[in-house]
Amino acid sequence: MPVYLALLELKAARGRFLLMGSVVVLVAALVGIVSGFTTGLGDDTVSALRGLHATHVAFAEGTKSDQFARGLIDQRTATGWTKEKDIEATPLGVAITRGTTDRDVEVDLAALGVAPGAFTDPGAEDGHRLDTATPQGVVVSRQLVNDGVRIGDSLTIDRLGIDLKVIGTTGRSSYGHVPVAYMTTDTWRQVRFTTPGAHATSADLPAQYSAMALKAHADLGDKALAEADRRHGTATVPLEDAFAAAPGYKGERLTMTSIQSFLFLIAPLVVGAFFAI
């Protein structure tokens, strides 16, 4: 009987119930779209950091914000971290720059310096992976391929005149909404420290890096990491906390989380109001 009465009501007020159903569907779709947009926006900012396969990142002590851009770790500190027990450590370089291929394709790119063969090395889906035998070789992310960069291209860093050779491609990877190009740490030092107009070699440049990527054993506690920080003069944070060092990440997350929160509050009120009417 209740079902029969409900069907009669639906038939009698078809337009009203279509309107209510449409509003419920649209509100649900809006919640899903905003949630997906929040996830996608965050992934486009820090997917390269997620792909490092690290558990922690060690920054230079005293650097409070934009640590990848402002902090530098010297070779002595880097060597000290590699000697720690129960921790795999490897230098990491991060810098955003621009380049032009020999086919006149202009691209923005995030230069990530990694040690070939280390756990931060992304390998290659096509072509060749990073190798010290090819010091000027780079492995580019899929977004750069979509922008027109191809294996075999010569990629010249703007203003610096540094020529890089595209030797391989890897999956989607970006930092600060900029597609990533992976290179050896020595090549990254050239990109980071070379002065426009100068022709310095790796030996002439500072042996410094943006941070140390760490892979700590599961049973290693925070106390051991804190003691290692005191020995090396660094500040170590879990990988998820290091995302905040990416440009714009904190502001984007705060904005999108606020929008999501208000949407989750407003959606049930709107739907409830329609059912009440």
Side-chain angles (χ1 to χ4, degrees):
M1 188 68 176
V3 175
Y4 176 72
L5 293 175
L7 292 174
L8 288 177
E9 182 69 16
L10 285 170
K11 185 177 180 181
R14 184 180 304 170
R16 183 176 62 187
F17 281 101
L18 284 175
L19 177 62
M20 292 173 58
S22 299
V23 169
V24 172
V25 171
L26 289 174
V27 169
L30 182 60
V31 171
I33 291 170
V34 172
S35 298
F37 185 65
T38 301
T39 301
L41 195 64
D43 191 62
D44 200 43
T45 306
V46 297
S47 61
L49 300 181
R50 287 198 181 105
L52 291 175
H53 306 294
T55 59
H56 297 77
V57 176
F59 294 107
E61 192 175 33
T63 311
K64 301 300 182 183
S65 62
D66 297 331
Q67 291 97 322
F68 286 115
R70 298 180 180 180
L72 289 172
I73 286 180
D74 59 27
Q75 185 62 55
R76 183 179 63 83
T77 302
T79 302
W81 267 110
T82 59
K83 294 179 180 179
E84 289 289 333
K85 295 181 179 180
D86 299 323
I87 299 174
E88 291 182 63
T90 182
L92 175 67
V94 181
I96 294 178
T97 185
R98 287 183 55 83
T100 305
T101 70
D102 52 358
R103 294 184 295 106
D104 295 325
V105 177
E106 298 181 358
V107 290
D108 294 317
L109 58 97
L112 256 68
V114 299
F119 60 84
T120 51
D121 186 344
E125 292 183 352
D126 294 302
H128 301 284
R129 61 189 306 157
L130 294 176
D131 191 340
T132 53
T134 313
Q136 298 301 102
V138 294
V139 175
V140 299
S141 60
R142 191 176 303 154
Q143 295 98 309
L144 286 173
V145 175
N146 294 338
D147 290 339
V149 179
R150 299 289 182 266
I151 294 176
D153 283 356
S154 178
L155 178 64
T156 302
I157 302 300
D158 291 355
R159 300 185 304 111
L160 303 181
I162 299 173
D163 292 324
L164 308 175
K165 189 73 171 179
V166 180
I167 61 173
T169 65
T170 186
R172 291 184 60 85
S173 182
S174 56
Y175 170 81
H177 303 294
V178 180
V180 168
Y182 294 91
M183 58 193 69
T184 66
T185 49
D186 282 345
T187 303
W188 176 84
R189 286 168 50 229
Q190 287 183 296
V191 173
R192 173 67 171 81
F193 297 115
T194 298
T195 303
H199 298 282
T201 64
S202 296
D204 300 325
L205 299 171
Q208 296 177 324
Y209 313 96
S210 301
M212 291 295 293
L214 310 177
K215 185 184 261 188
H217 290 188
D219 56 351
L220 189 70
D222 293 338
K223 183 178 179 180
L225 287 171
E227 291 174 352
D229 276 334
R230 283 193 293 271
R231 286 192 294 272
H232 305 304
T234 54
T236 298
V237 298
L239 180 63
E240 291 76 13
D241 293 347
F243 294 166
Y249 181 78
K250 291 178 69 175
E252 289 174 356
R253 294 296 294 178
L254 178 61
T255 300
M256 296 308 300
T257 301
S258 299
I259 293 174
Q260 270 189 299
S261 300
F262 278 107
L263 186 59
F264 284 133
L265 288 173
I266 293 171
L269 292 177
V270 171
V271 175
F274 267 86
F275 276 103
I277 294 172

